[in-house]
């Protein structure tokens, strides 16, 4: 059975009442949420070692809790608005009145404004948290650097200098090793050449006939070279004389 006009009217009023109640709750939550974003960085001192970490954790927990509550309220308000739209589509009259549509649009505009405000505030607080965390980390690093004693810095310099000396000693050792290896190699080659010379002399002493034959061959080669040189000189002189006659 179709619902009566009275039932439909009561349903509409009930939806409007729920929408107004949720809008009021969301408005109060957004005001508190905005104040939390404005005062988020107050009281946070990273330069002091005694800054209370519990206060920071409490603020972040409050931000997360309030953001979750507002998100849930916005979801409920969205659901109520969808039901109001469905109501305007299912009423028995041919078309909803202008006042009904105006009321529906007003609630939808309020929902959109609250959603945008919530997103903007959430983004601002998130950016502020990230910036504060970054600045806090930088301040802590600077403070730690300032608090580091001069003895530690001198120790670092001594360690670096010691490392340089060790590197230099290692290079010198490498050069000495190369020189020793070269000397040993030359000595080995000298011993090898002396051994070859000794063997050749031994062979020459053992076979005097071969030695004599080699000497004769050398004498004959020198004689042939002299004769050939004399013949070439005579031919050259004859050519010069022939050229000038």
């Amino acid at each position: 059975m179709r619902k009566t006009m009275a039932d439909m009217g009561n349903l509409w009023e009930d939806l409007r009442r729920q929408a107004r109640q949720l809008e009021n709750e969301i408005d109060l939550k957004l005001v508190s949420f905005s104040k939390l974003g404005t005062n988020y960085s107050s009281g946070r001192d990273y330069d002091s070692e005694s800054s209370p970490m519990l206060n920071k954790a409490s603020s972040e927990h409050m931000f997360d809790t309030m953001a979750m509550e507002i998100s849930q309220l916005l979801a409920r308000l969205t659901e109520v608005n969808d039901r109001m739209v469905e109501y305007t589509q299912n009423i028995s009259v041919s078309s909803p009145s202008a006042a009904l549509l105006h009321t529906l649009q007003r609630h939808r505009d309020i929902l959109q404004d609250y959603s945008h405000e919530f997103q903007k505030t959430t983004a601002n607080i998130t950016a502020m948290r990230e910036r504060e965390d970054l600045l806090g980390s930088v301040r802590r690093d600077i403070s730690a650097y300032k608090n580091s004693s001069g003895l530690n810095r001198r120790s670092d310099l001594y360690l670096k200098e010691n490392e340089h000396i060790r590197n230099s000693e290692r290079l010198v050792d490498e050069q000495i090793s190369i020189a020793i290896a070269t000397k040993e190699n030359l000595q080995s080659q000298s011993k090898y050449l002396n051994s070859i010379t000794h063997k050749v002399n031994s062979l020459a002493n053992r076979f005097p006939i071969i030695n004599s034959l080699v000497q004769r061959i050398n004498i004959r080669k020198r004689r042939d070279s002299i004769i050939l040189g004399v013949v070439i000189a005579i031919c050259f002189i004859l050519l010069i004389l022939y050229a000038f006659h």
Side-chain angles (χ1 to χ4, degrees):
M1 295 177 61
R2 289 182 174 273
K3 294 183 178 180
T4 63
M5 293 298 295
D7 293 336
M8 295 295 289
N10 292 335
L11 176 60
W12 175 256
E13 292 299 328
D14 183 62
L15 292 174
R16 288 191 59 191
R17 179 182 57 78
Q18 294 180 30
R20 287 194 299 267
Q21 182 178 356
L22 290 171
E23 289 168 356
N24 291 333
E25 293 182 14
I26 293 172
D27 185 64
L28 294 175
K29 292 286 186 181
L30 286 176
V31 172
S32 301
F33 196 58
S34 179
K35 290 181 180 180
L36 178 63
T38 302
N39 302 325
Y40 182 77
S41 61
S42 63
R44 300 181 68 181
D45 183 9
Y46 292 101
D47 294 331
S48 174
E49 294 181 357
S50 59
S51 59
M53 299 301 294
L54 290 177
N55 291 341
K56 175 184 175 182
S58 178
S59 299
E60 293 180 352
H61 177 70
M62 184 180 300
F63 166 76
D64 295 335
T65 302
M66 192 171 294
M68 183 180 297
E69 292 176 353
I70 296 175
S71 297
Q72 292 175 353
L73 291 174
L74 288 173
R76 289 172 58 188
L77 184 59
T78 301
E79 182 180 357
V80 172
N81 274 262
D82 292 340
R83 292 176 62 188
M84 293 174 72
V85 172
E86 184 180 358
Y87 172 85
T88 59
Q89 295 175 352
N90 293 335
I91 57 177
S92 58
V93 295
S94 59
S95 61
S97 63
L100 196 67
L101 294 176
H102 176 74
T103 301
L104 175 61
Q105 185 61 41
R106 183 172 64 84
H107 285 294
R108 296 179 69 179
D109 291 341
I110 292 174
L111 174 60
Q112 185 176 8
D113 292 339
Y114 284 166
S115 298
H116 288 170
E117 183 178 354
F118 172 67
Q119 293 173 1
K120 180 179 179 181
T121 305
T122 301
N124 291 337
I125 295 178
T126 300
M128 190 178 301
R129 290 171 66 179
E130 294 176 352
R131 183 171 62 252
E132 290 294 331
D133 290 340
L134 178 61
L135 291 176
S137 177
V138 173
R139 290 170 183 169
R140 287 191 295 271
D141 292 341
I142 294 175
S143 177
Y145 178 77
K146 289 181 178 179
N147 292 332
S148 60
S149 62
L151 178 60
N152 292 333
R153 287 195 291 273
R154 285 195 297 272
S155 298
D156 293 338
L157 293 176
Y158 291 153
L159 290 174
K160 291 181 180 179
E161 186 66 23
N162 186 32
E163 184 66 22
H164 292 162
I165 294 174
R166 291 177 61 186
N167 291 334
S168 299
E169 291 178 350
R170 185 170 62 253
L171 291 176
V172 172
D173 291 339
E174 291 177 356
Q175 295 299 323
I176 293 175
S177 298
I178 293 173
I180 292 174
T182 302
K183 179 182 177 181
E184 293 177 352
N185 189 17
L186 291 175
Q187 290 177 348
S188 177
Q189 291 180 3
S190 177
K191 291 179 180 180
Y192 182 70
L193 292 176
N194 291 332
S195 176
I196 293 176
T197 303
H198 179 71
K199 290 179 179 179
V200 171
N201 292 331
S202 298
L203 289 175
N205 293 329
R206 288 181 181 179
F207 303 98
I209 298 176
I210 296 176
N211 188 20
S212 175
L213 180 61
V214 171
Q215 290 179 356
R216 290 179 182 179
I217 292 173
N218 290 332
I219 293 172
R220 186 179 181 86
K221 287 176 64 177
R222 285 196 297 269
R223 187 187 63 183
D224 292 342
S225 298
I226 293 172
I227 295 173
L228 182 61
V230 171
V231 171
I232 292 173
I234 294 173
C235 293
F236 185 72
I237 293 171
L238 292 175
L239 289 173
I240 292 175
L241 293 177
Y242 180 77
F244 285 101
H245 285 81

